[in-house]
Amino acid sequence: WMEVQDYCISKLVHEPIEYVMVLCLDSQNRLIADETVSRGTVNQTSVYPREIVNLALRHFAHAVLLCIIIRGQKPSLHAPISK
């Protein structure tokens, strides 16, 4: 879990705006793809579930992690979405 957190922080820590990245994982929790789903303003961004689902389907992902950078707060990860 710490490796995933470090990966997301290293990718997004220098972004000056709200930023959401999706990590697509295979059945053995290996990274298939990391893609940006939303870039926002200094204090907000919109994320639509259909974009995340489409991304997961496009990559045949078995699990999805959302990595969200919220300016003024520590970077955080949200738990995988269960099927």
Side-chain angles (χ1 to χ4, degrees):
W1 184 253
M2 293 303 293
E3 290 174 8
V4 173
Q5 197 170 22
D6 291 342
Y7 177 80
C8 289
I9 290 170
S10 70
K11 295 279 279 188
L12 300 177
V13 74
H14 302 292
E15 296 296 329
I17 57 175
E18 302 284 320
Y19 201 91
V20 180
M21 183 172 66
V22 173
L23 303 178
C24 294
L25 307 176
D26 68 8
S27 61
Q28 296 179 355
N29 290 330
R30 293 178 299 205
L31 184 64
I32 299 171
D34 63 341
E35 292 195 28
T36 302
V37 288
S38 182
R39 291 180 183 170
T41 62
V42 173
N43 62 359
Q44 80 176 29
T45 188
S46 298
V47 178
Y48 300 100
R50 69 179 173 269
E51 293 175 7
I52 296 169
V53 171
N54 286 336
L55 183 65
L57 291 173
R58 191 167 58 237
H59 291 290
F60 302 100
H62 285 254
V64 172
L65 295 173
L66 299 178
C67 185
I68 303 169
I69 294 295
I70 301 172
R71 290 294 117 206
Q73 295 184 13
K74 282 182 68 174
S76 63
L77 290 173
H78 293 266
I81 299 170
S82 327
K83 289 185 177 182

